Amino acid sequence: MMIDFFGEPHPGSHRPFSHATRAGGLVFVSGHSAPHDPHNGIHRGESATEQVREALAEMARILHEAGSSMDRVVMVTMLITDPADYHECNAEYVKHFPNGLPARHTARFGVPTEAKVGFSCIAIAAA
């Protein structure tokens, strides 16, 4: 079985994982929050809504690179840092899946950033 890797880390990276892998007709996207690189003018957003929007746009970009798309997502994991943001995150999240909501798992997480939300997913690869 072939496994394709997308966005592999460079040697010595502080993020020792690929952005996505494709195997067995599926695409597995690693957990990602909204992009944040202040040195290059990229800010993840202040509100949970903005961060959901930007994180899902990043997930869509990675899916496209790996040969899939948001409408082929079958499972999502939503990671939130503050349960108080749950309803705000959901209000934006549903807008990104107009053709049907994939199965989902939600959990609290803590990472050494100020991200409010992050996502990972499994999607069907394009034929």
Side-chain angles (χ1 to χ4, degrees), residues 70-74 76 93-94 96-103:
M70 293 291 279
D71 62 343
R72 299 177 71 85
V73 172
V74 295
V76 171
Y93 171 85
V94 298
H96 297 267
F97 297 98
N99 298 324
L101 295 168

Side-chain angles (χ1 to χ4, degrees), residues 83-101:
D85 291 334
Y86 183 74
H87 296 293
E88 184 179 347
C89 289
N90 281 337
E92 180 62 29
Y93 171 85
V94 298
K95 296 175 186 177
H96 297 267
F97 297 98
N99 298 324
L101 295 168

Side-chain angles (χ1 to χ4, degrees), residues 21-35:
T21 56
R22 183 176 58 213
L26 297 173
V27 174
F28 302 84
V29 177
S30 296
H32 291 276
S33 59

Side-chain angles (χ1 to χ4, degrees), residues 23-67:
L26 297 173
V27 174
F28 302 84
V29 177
S30 296
H32 291 276
S33 59
H36 187 70
D37 185 356
H39 299 295
N40 290 313
I42 301 169
H43 300 277
R44 73 171 54 94
E46 296 295 321
S47 71
T49 297
E50 291 171 314
Q51 290 193 27
V52 167
R53 186 178 310 122
E54 295 303 318
L56 290 176
E58 179 70 1
M59 192 167 80
R61 185 195 64 71
I62 294 167
L63 283 166
H64 178 76
E65 177 185 352

Side-chain angles (χ1 to χ4, degrees), residues 75-123:
M75 178 68 185
V76 171
T77 297
M78 180 172 83
L79 304 165
I80 60 174
T81 58
D82 185 349
D85 291 334
Y86 183 74
H87 296 293
E88 184 179 347
C89 289
N90 281 337
E92 180 62 29
Y93 171 85
V94 298
K95 296 175 186 177
H96 297 267
F97 297 98
N99 298 324
L101 295 168
R104 190 180 90 186
H105 171 75
T106 302
R108 272 186 89 168
F109 82 115
V111 293
T113 71
E114 294 183 22
K116 295 177 180 287
V117 63
F119 295 95
S120 66
C121 74
I122 300 169

